Amino acid sequence: MSGRPLIVAIDGPAGAGKSTVARKVAEVLGISYLDTGALYRALAFYLDSRGIAPVESESLFRALDEVSIDIDGEGVFLDGKSVGREIRSPRIDGIVSAYASLPMVRDRLLSLQREQGERRPLVADGRDMATVVFPGADVKIFLTATDEERARRRFKELEGRNEPVRFEEVLEQIRKRDRTDSGRETAPLKKACDAVELPTDGLSIEEVANAILALVRKTSK
Ligand code: CDP
């Protein structure tokens, strides 16, 4: 048992249900939820809307230096303004991984994420929670599901938001994003050697959340 707050780290590919499950686990434990994907999405949105390409460049360096990013509870703020649904559009789905593969972008977000974990107990989800950001996390989970299952979940979510998309497109985009996230050199998506893999096909959100809660309760905190 360490002196710092409890950290539950949840990683996994796109559409594995990380955010829904992480939010639920945090709620049951009465602790905060840190959605690190929202930070990458917010930065991708910011850079894209300023015409800054996803390559390491002087203009990228300057933009990252100038922009202020803050977290308050579940809210993400860019230059003091709260970001909303605009970071969840199919456009951002399609470009976020390219920005997230850049070491400059990842460096910009690293200390911000770690500070959150030093301040308060949390459930954090993303791609490199257990491997890079919180390697000392108390519980490490790697959530998986088949490509088709993940695409079905994402498709339903987009349909619910009245975003016009085709299932095949969603499936292809999920696969493409996974390839970029797993293939990048800096902090690739991968299971930490001491993480517990949880395949979620056919399981409800409650069942997955309960499996994680059981692991949390087994730790001595
Ligand atoms: O919800 P979903 O799994 O589709 O994605 P997300 O968690 O919102 O993350 C969006 C993208 O941000 C991912 O595809 C990664 O490219 C990037 N990301 C990352 O590189 N590292 C993280 N810790 C979290 C997200």
Side-chain angles (χ1 to χ4, degrees), residues 11-16 18-19 35-38 40-41 88 93 96-97 100 106 113 125-129 154 177 181 184 187:
D11 293 304
K18 297 181 300 293
S19 57
D35 175 2
T36 64
Y40 286 95
R41 285 172 179 275
R88 316 250 165 222
D93 282 353
V96 58
S97 289
R106 305 202 72 81
Q113 297 170 80
D125 82 339
R127 302 293 186 285
D128 58 346
M129 297 298 94
R154 182 51 54 101
R177 196 138 64 91
D181 288 345
R184 70 184 174 221

Side-chain angles (χ1 to χ4, degrees), residues 42-52 78 91-92 95 99:
L43 264 192
F45 176 81
Y46 176 86
L47 296 166
D48 179 52
S49 53
R50 273 156 190 76
I52 297 168
L78 279 177
R91 172 160 182 90
I92 301 300
I95 60 173
Y99 288 104

Side-chain angles (χ1 to χ4, degrees), residues 27-202:
E27 190 189 306
V28 174
L29 294 173
I31 63 177
S32 302
Y33 163 50
L34 177 66
D35 175 2
T36 64
L39 299 174
Y40 286 95
R41 285 172 179 275
L43 264 192
F45 176 81
Y46 176 86
L47 296 166
D48 179 52
S49 53
R50 273 156 190 76
I52 297 168
V55 285
E56 302 231 299
S57 65
E58 185 60 34
S59 54
L60 175 72
F61 181 80
R62 243 181 294 121
L64 291 172
D65 188 46
E66 277 164 21
V67 66
S68 83
I69 315 171
D70 297 294
I71 301 171
D72 185 11
E74 268 202 45
V76 176
F77 297 81
L78 279 177
D79 288 335
K81 268 188 29 206
S82 171
V83 300
R85 289 262 294 279
E86 66 276 19
I87 66 167
R88 316 250 165 222
S89 68
R91 172 160 182 90
I92 301 300
D93 282 353
I95 60 173
V96 58
S97 289
Y99 288 104
S101 69
L102 305 174
M104 271 185 193
V105 168
R106 305 202 72 81
D107 269 5
R108 177 68 180 79
L109 294 175
L110 188 59
S111 51
L112 188 69
Q113 297 170 80
R114 286 195 176 143
E115 275 163 24
Q116 295 296 313
E118 279 156 20
R119 269 188 216 159
R120 57 203 165 129
L122 44 87
V123 180
D125 82 339
R127 302 293 186 285
D128 58 346
M129 297 298 94
T131 51
V132 175
V133 181
F134 302 118
D138 304 273
V139 178
K140 299 181 175 184
I141 309 288
F142 196 73
L143 276 195
T144 60
T146 57
D147 299 0
E148 287 75 14
E149 173 68 23
R150 294 186 290 116
R152 266 195 297 277
R153 291 174 188 169
R154 182 51 54 101
F155 182 70
K156 255 176 86 179
E157 187 188 323
L158 291 168
E159 250 191 349
R161 284 197 256 131
N162 283 324
E163 299 269 7
V165 280
R166 287 189 316 117
F167 178 78
E168 289 69 27
E169 258 173 56
V170 176
L171 179 61
E172 186 37 47
Q173 200 177 60
I174 278 202
R175 286 179 172 154
K176 187 167 164 234
R177 196 138 64 91
D178 289 349
R179 280 196 299 273
T180 315
D181 288 345
S182 310
R184 70 184 174 221
E185 262 174 43
T186 314
L189 163 67
K190 68 168 185 223
K191 178 184 161 303
C193 51
D194 51 351
V196 175
E197 182 163 347
L198 267 182
T200 66
D201 285 71

